[in-house]
Amino acid sequence: MRFSKYHGTGNDFVLVEDMDDRWRLDQDLIEAVCDRRRGVGADGLIRIVRSPEADFFMDYYNADGAVAEMCGNGIRCLAKYVYERGFIDRTEFDVTTRAGLKRVVVGAEDGVAARVTVGMGLPAFARKDIPMKGPADGRFIEQPLEVDGRVFTATALSMGNPHCVLVVDSAEALAALPVPSLGSEVEHRPEFPNRTNVEFVQVTDGVLRARVWERGSGETMACGTGACAAVVASSLAGLSGPEADIEFPGGVLHVDWRQDEDVYLTGPAVWVYDGELSAEWLSHATAAEWRPRAGATERAP
């Protein structure tokens, strides 16, 4: 199995090229590949496919092998991959995701995709769209949320995938926060039938700092959709403007919420290395195999 390793502000991914859409990925195999001790190690896996509806399709999975709707850092890595490897010669193109069509713009310097901007779509606040239990058209904005005996001011929204943004009082409190325990508790709350991503955000003089717990991946160095959700929630609360930088442990992302229009996410993407998983590893890591689609005869990549 050939693959490429990329990261966007420390949020890392295994990319698998499958332009002709020949292969299905088994959930057990994806989880084994993303395992940081016995596999490659990643926050998620992206299968890159040509799309009849757009230029490419991003087939994205979280580290636990579960299908996910969207990934802001991942789509920037995909854009860098296809641009630098010659699959497209335009710096502006479309990628379909399970959260809909996304327009990406590559900031190229001497043929290198240094930064990528993605139109992430409109935020959705109705509970039915997140989804979140309660009145279908009701909203959960700047509401108290008790987590493990602590009360946070929280906002729930969708950026194509579910998010719950919790406000933290100080930078010191954010640094000391037990994100794995609190994030996991919020992720699995019964109010979120599809689970949720969780952002812990602290704002000082309009500067956002955040830590994130990603559904199915755990605490990560950054999150693109989470950055968008955090800036939207902070703007609604009057803590920041609709355009802001947000600092994650893995680096800085820029978000521009053009109200009544899309949210735009800008940040870097980095190629780390290309590799190949051995037949020995595949046979020992999981009982699952690469399986061609019905009628396909091609070998696994």
Side-chain angles (χ1 to χ4, degrees):
M1 174 183 166
R2 292 189 295 273
F3 67 91
S4 299
K5 182 74 177 284
Y6 281 70
H7 81 83
T9 51
N11 202 190
D12 59 341
F13 308 95
V14 170
L15 274 60
V16 177
E17 179 188 317
D18 184 20
M19 293 298 175
D20 296 327
D21 196 16
R22 294 194 294 255
W23 299 98
R24 292 190 184 276
L25 299 177
D26 187 283
Q27 181 172 351
D28 291 337
L29 177 59
I30 294 167
E31 186 175 11
V33 170
C34 292
D35 188 290
R36 294 195 180 277
R37 289 184 172 83
R38 293 173 292 184
V40 178
D43 293 324
L45 184 146
I46 299 169
R47 187 174 66 102
I48 307 173
V49 186
R50 290 223 181 256
S51 170
E53 294 85 22
D55 295 294
F56 303 97
F57 169 58
M58 182 175 75
D59 187 19
Y60 179 65
Y61 301 84
N62 287 322
D64 63 357
V67 170
E69 302 92 342
M70 178 55 187
C71 179
N73 287 326
I75 197 171
R76 295 200 318 279
C77 292
L78 180 152
K80 181 179 178 72
Y81 183 102
V82 298
Y83 177 76
E84 292 185 352
R85 300 187 188 221
F87 289 102
I88 197 162
D89 58 6
R90 306 190 311 273
T91 56
E92 187 169 346
F93 50 90
D94 294 326
V95 179
T96 55
T97 73
R98 294 185 179 88
L101 185 71
K102 308 299 179 186
R103 173 61 59 93
V104 301
V105 180
V106 174
E109 300 174 5
D110 298 324
V112 176
R115 298 181 71 78
V116 180
T117 297
V118 185
M120 300 287 286
L122 289 167
F125 302 100
R127 286 176 179 253
K128 63 182 173 57
D129 295 328
I130 295 173
M132 183 179 185
K133 291 182 179 178
D137 292 324
R139 297 183 172 196
F140 190 85
I141 297 176
E142 293 186 76
Q143 298 294 312
L145 185 71
E146 183 175 343
V147 187
D148 193 27
R150 308 177 189 217
V151 178
F152 296 89
T153 299
T155 294
L157 68 150
S158 172
M159 283 303 311
N161 55 355
H163 290 270
C164 186
V165 180
L166 284 64
V167 176
V168 180
D169 292 336
S170 68
E172 293 76 15
L174 180 66
L177 210 61
V179 167
S181 60
L182 298 179
S184 180
E185 180 177 331
V186 177
E187 175 192 356
H188 294 94
R189 286 178 75 104
E191 296 100 309
F192 298 102
N194 292 347
R195 298 182 293 159
T196 187
N197 301 285
V198 188
E199 289 75 39
F200 299 90
V201 180
Q202 185 270 330
V203 186
T204 302
D205 298 329
V207 177
L208 280 70
R209 298 175 180 84
R211 294 173 64 188
V212 61
W213 177 266
E214 288 198 58
R215 175 186 58 169
S217 296
E219 184 173 10
T220 59
M221 297 290 284
C223 176
T225 55
C228 296
V231 171
V232 167
S234 298
S235 178
L236 289 174
L239 299 174
S240 74
E243 182 174 3
D245 287 338
I246 178 166
E247 300 177 6
F248 288 95
V252 178
L253 293 170
H254 183 77
V255 177
D256 182 6
W257 179 27
R258 303 171 190 176
Q259 297 197 27
D260 298 325
E261 296 184 25
D262 284 359
V263 179
Y264 290 85
L265 173 71
T266 301
V270 178
W271 170 54
V272 183
Y273 62 88
D274 292 342
E276 181 176 292
L277 292 168
S278 69
E280 178 184 8
W281 181 89
L282 289 168
S283 67
H284 286 87
T286 173
E289 299 175 349
W290 286 78
R291 299 183 179 90
R293 295 181 184 276
T297 58
E298 290 86 348
R299 296 175 59 193

